[in-house]
Amino acid sequence: MAERLTADARKQALGAIPGWTEVQGRDAIGKTFVFKDFNEAFGFMTRAALVAEKMDHHPEWRNVYKTVEVVLSTHDAGGVTKLDIELARTMNTIAKLTAT
Ligand code: H2B
């Protein structure tokens, strides 16, 4: 099972993934993605969902029109692990590919 990252390791990893920050009050990371419209936002979610399912690692997220608020944490570990970092990085890549 993936282990929780130390505060230092988490900070260092976040420094290399644009837009992702620590969530206040819990051991999790988050980012709000803003797309051109709903079509793009949902396209992003669809692609990200397929990757998440393949990884067996699932986001907490909320969509309102063209924004997607994402929170990542490894529930089994009670905090941020390398799986969250990997999914965050992948989501940034997917967002780039999705945006027109
Ligand atoms: N997603 C997230 N974010 N954290 C988990 O601990 C987790 C998950 N565990 N997806 C997986 C599913 C686990 O429940 C299954 C049984 O593999």
Side-chain angles (χ1 to χ4, degrees):
M1 205 232 283
E3 284 176 17
R4 282 176 61 195
L5 298 181
T6 62
D8 272 357
R10 201 172 55 228
K11 271 201 186 80
Q12 200 177 333
L14 283 182
I17 323 174
W20 288 85
T21 56
E22 312 212 27
V23 172
Q24 291 308 305
R26 61 176 286 201
D27 191 338
I29 58 174
K31 177 172 177 175
T32 298
F33 291 89
V34 182
F35 295 93
K36 189 185 72 181
D37 52 24
F38 176 76
N39 204 38
E40 274 192 7
F42 205 76
F44 163 78
M45 293 179 85
T46 304
R47 293 180 181 103
L50 294 174
V51 172
E53 180 61 9
K54 204 169 246 177
M55 286 175 69
D56 192 28
H57 194 65
H58 303 90
E60 300 171 30
W61 52 7
R62 173 171 187 265
N63 163 238
V64 178
Y65 178 40
K66 62 180 184 173
T67 73
V68 183
E69 292 170 22
V70 184
V71 171
L72 298 179
S73 177
T74 302
H75 307 130
D76 297 340
V80 176
T81 69
K82 64 178 188 199
L83 291 172
D84 301 299
I85 300 301
E86 194 181 324
L87 187 53
R89 210 177 274 130
T90 304
M91 282 183 159
N92 275 11
T93 303
I94 293 171
K96 260 192 201 150
L97 296 172
T98 304
T100 54

